[in-house]
Amino acid sequence: MSATLSSLEVSNSTGLLDSFGVVKLVDSSRFLCRDFVSIRAKKNNMKKRWRFCSLSTDMKYSRVGQSGLESANNFPLLTNVLGSAAVGEVAVSSEQKVYDVVLKQASLVKRKLSSTGELEVKPEIVLPGNLSLLSEAYDRCGEICAEYAKTFYLGTLLMTSERQRAIWAIYVWCRRTDELVDGPNASHITATAMDRWESRLEELFQGRPFDMLDAALSDTVAKFPVDIQPFKDMIEGMRMDLKKSRYKTFDELYLYCYYVAGTVGLMSVPVMGISTQSQATTESVYNAALALGIANQLTNILRDVGEDARRGRVYLPQDELALAGLSDDDIFAGKVTDKWRNFMKSQIKRARMFFDEAEKGVMELNEASRWPVWAALLLYRQILDEIEANDYNSFTKRAYVSKTKKFLSLPLAYARSMVPPARKLSHEMKA
């Protein structure tokens, strides 16, 4: 039920990187992706060999300021989204977790900025194995992105070559991670397998990739100021799926959404870059990226209620269901009633609030990176419209955006991507 960089593909997505590939297992803990070294042999057999390094992987409601975590009164989304003061320690804990990661990543990016305001991209690093294969590893990542996230892939073609390839590598890793719990081998995944996947992540961040797809990401994180924590957090979200199928409050659900989807923004913004014309704080841009991830994942949840229920999962706040006069039994019964419609209206309203918050940050991204993000945002938003058009029946009908509507959205996304960041008015001009 994750949403990742194919927040990016609407038709068969599970989120901002939605389902990513086909990680196969020999047993409950060893991945079947072939050794990077074993792929070195014959270049003309490359595509056949690499096909098996596959995949099938899916902000808090606070705002972060430069001076630190502010009070709840300074977080419009916190008070509006929760609609209740009875959040207590859990909300503070969730905020703090996200806040710490956001500030860490924002600080890392600031340290890596050149005097021109652009990120300094390092040359390719030396990796184990046959170095001539590295560019082909990136190409394979691009092929996977093109296959599973067509709309987003199209947008990445406008990016610089370095950014383009890096985004593909991140997409592929997220898809593979998501596939661990949502893919064909999900029933065989254990906590030990997740621990090994995390150890493998740590190795590739140290420049020791396990296979060719890892090699592309290893090169990416060496070039760009990408921190390992968002990647670890995504794995933690997958662990949650192994042991948790209910969420008592929205705050609990929020943290899950951050893990499986909000993390993608923290991974990708350092690569996409922030416009040199932007006057927004780095933290606010990352906060908007988190909001987009949360919005996408909430949309996935509302779209997939019936599908999740058939797997014994309910990704809806239990306290809000009870307040609406509903329970898990109503979800499993799958009947559209007035109570259900009213409940869904409130959930859709919340998701749209996160999309609104995300829009503020998209405009601050580097000019060459805005189009794919705008396209993902506009297309994913339309899923909410389709849920409404289906009379809120997410039990037996899957809301999707037609190819025609997708096609018509692309020019609008492109037009919005051309709008430069808003200039802040001086005190004199405001007066």
Side-chain angles (χ1 to χ4, degrees):
M1 186 69 225
S2 353
T4 15
L5 228 109
S6 192
S7 7
L8 306 177
E9 178 62 20
V10 175
S11 61
N12 52 342
S13 62
T14 34
L16 190 56
L17 281 191
D18 117 297
S19 318
F20 298 22
V22 187
V23 176
K24 308 236 180 210
L25 300 181
V26 174
D27 53 38
S28 63
S29 61
R30 176 151 181 92
F31 295 96
L32 238 189
C33 276
R34 302 198 179 196
D35 239 356
F36 187 51
V37 178
S38 72
I39 304 173
R40 295 183 298 175
K42 297 180 180 178
K43 266 182 130 181
N44 57 353
N45 289 330
M46 200 64 58
K47 288 189 178 179
K48 287 183 182 178
R49 291 172 180 264
W50 287 5
R51 187 172 300 154
F52 296 100
C53 281
S54 172
L55 344 154
S56 196
T57 299
D58 161 13
M59 338 180 323
K60 186 143 174 200
Y61 34 97
S62 62
R63 294 183 179 179
V64 177
Q66 286 181 311
S67 59
L69 190 62
E70 304 171 38
S71 68
N73 290 333
N74 292 326
F75 295 108
L77 286 181
L78 173 62
T79 52
N80 291 340
V81 170
L82 288 179
S84 168
V87 188
E89 286 184 3
V90 179
V92 174
S93 173
S94 295
E95 282 183 357
Q96 191 65 48
K97 286 181 180 179
V98 177
Y99 163 73
D100 289 343
V101 180
V102 168
L103 286 196
K104 184 179 178 183
Q105 178 64 86
S107 175
L108 181 61
V109 169
K110 287 177 182 177
R111 292 198 302 270
K112 298 294 182 179
L113 286 175
S114 68
S115 58
T116 64
E118 286 285 333
L119 286 174
E120 296 177 341
V121 179
K122 301 176 184 177
E124 284 187 357
I125 62 168
V126 176
L127 294 171
N130 189 335
L131 298 183
S132 68
L133 301 182
L134 185 57
S135 75
E136 292 173 54
Y138 275 117
D139 289 343
R140 178 59 185 140
C141 290
E143 290 173 4
I144 293 166
C145 186
E147 180 179 356
Y148 292 95
K150 296 178 179 63
T151 301
F152 182 74
Y153 173 79
L154 179 63
T156 65
L157 298 181
L158 296 179
M159 297 180 180
T160 63
S161 176
E162 293 84 1
R163 284 184 168 130
Q164 179 185 99
R165 300 197 310 168
I167 287 295
W168 293 344
I170 292 172
Y171 174 93
V172 166
W173 184 88
C174 291
R175 186 175 184 89
R176 297 172 90 183
T177 302
D178 182 76
E179 194 66 12
L180 293 176
V181 296
D182 275 348
N185 295 288
S187 59
H188 303 292
I189 296 297
T190 65
T192 301
M194 299 307 300
D195 291 343
R196 294 200 181 199
W197 186 245
E198 185 166 350
S199 296
R200 181 166 157 174
L201 170 71
E202 291 169 350
E203 288 291 306
L204 75 82
F205 261 80
Q206 294 300 317
R208 296 187 292 271
F210 179 80
D211 63 23
M212 42 118 1
L213 297 180
D214 282 355
L217 182 60
S218 189
D219 184 59
T220 290
V221 301
K223 289 179 177 179
F224 294 91
V226 180
D227 187 62
I228 194 173
Q229 193 58 50
F231 293 83
K232 286 189 169 186
D233 285 344
M234 176 172 282
I235 294 174
E236 185 60 31
M238 302 306 135
R239 287 193 181 102
M240 289 177 71
D241 265 334
L242 293 178
K243 60 188 178 183
K244 193 177 178 71
S245 60
R246 301 290 188 280
Y247 294 84
K248 294 179 181 178
T249 64
F250 177 72
D251 186 73
E252 280 191 14
L253 183 62
Y254 165 80
L255 191 58
Y256 169 74
C257 290
Y258 158 69
Y259 281 149
V260 301
T263 49
V264 180
L266 299 187
M267 298 174 192
S268 55
V269 171
V271 173
M272 291 184 170
I274 298 174
S275 172
T276 55
Q277 300 179 52
S278 174
Q279 296 185 20
T281 64
T282 305
E283 291 88 347
S284 68
V285 177
Y286 277 93
N287 211 53
L290 289 168
L292 180 55
I294 297 297
N296 286 334
Q297 187 61 19
L298 291 176
T299 300
N300 288 337
I301 288 170
L302 298 178
R303 178 195 61 191
D304 298 336
V305 173
E307 179 183 327
D308 291 330
R310 288 187 285 276
R311 299 162 70 187
R313 298 178 180 179
V314 178
Y315 291 95
L316 301 168
Q318 295 289 308
D319 60 344
E320 295 180 18
L321 278 172
L323 193 62
L326 299 166
S327 67
D328 287 355
D329 290 339
D330 295 295
I331 304 300
F332 295 133
K335 293 183 179 179
V336 177
T337 63
D338 286 341
K339 287 181 180 180
W340 174 252
R341 291 186 184 93
N342 290 332
F343 173 78
M344 286 291 283
K345 287 176 183 178
S346 66
Q347 301 300 308
I348 288 174
K349 180 179 179 181
R350 172 189 281 150
R352 284 178 173 146
M353 289 173 60
F354 280 105
F355 277 122
D356 290 342
E357 190 67 18
E359 287 191 11
K360 301 173 185 177
V362 180
M363 304 183 74
E364 308 297 333
L365 294 176
N366 180 277
E367 292 76 3
S369 302
R370 291 182 203 143
W371 189 28
V373 182
W374 267 120
L377 190 155
L378 294 177
L379 291 172
Y380 238 72
R381 243 188 124 128
Q382 290 182 59
I383 294 177
L384 298 175
D385 300 334
E386 298 301 324
I387 293 173
E388 291 174 331
N390 287 343
D391 191 29
Y392 307 98
N393 182 2
S394 294
F395 300 117
T396 60
K397 292 183 179 180
R398 181 179 175 86
Y400 69 94
V401 181
S402 68
K403 290 183 179 180
T404 300
K405 288 183 179 179
K406 287 183 188 180
F407 181 77
L408 293 175
S409 295
L410 293 180
L412 175 58
Y414 184 78
R416 292 198 180 186
S417 72
M418 293 294 102
V419 178
R423 309 291 293 182
K424 291 186 177 178
L425 298 176
S426 66
H427 291 298
E428 295 76 20
M429 292 176 69
K430 289 180 182 177

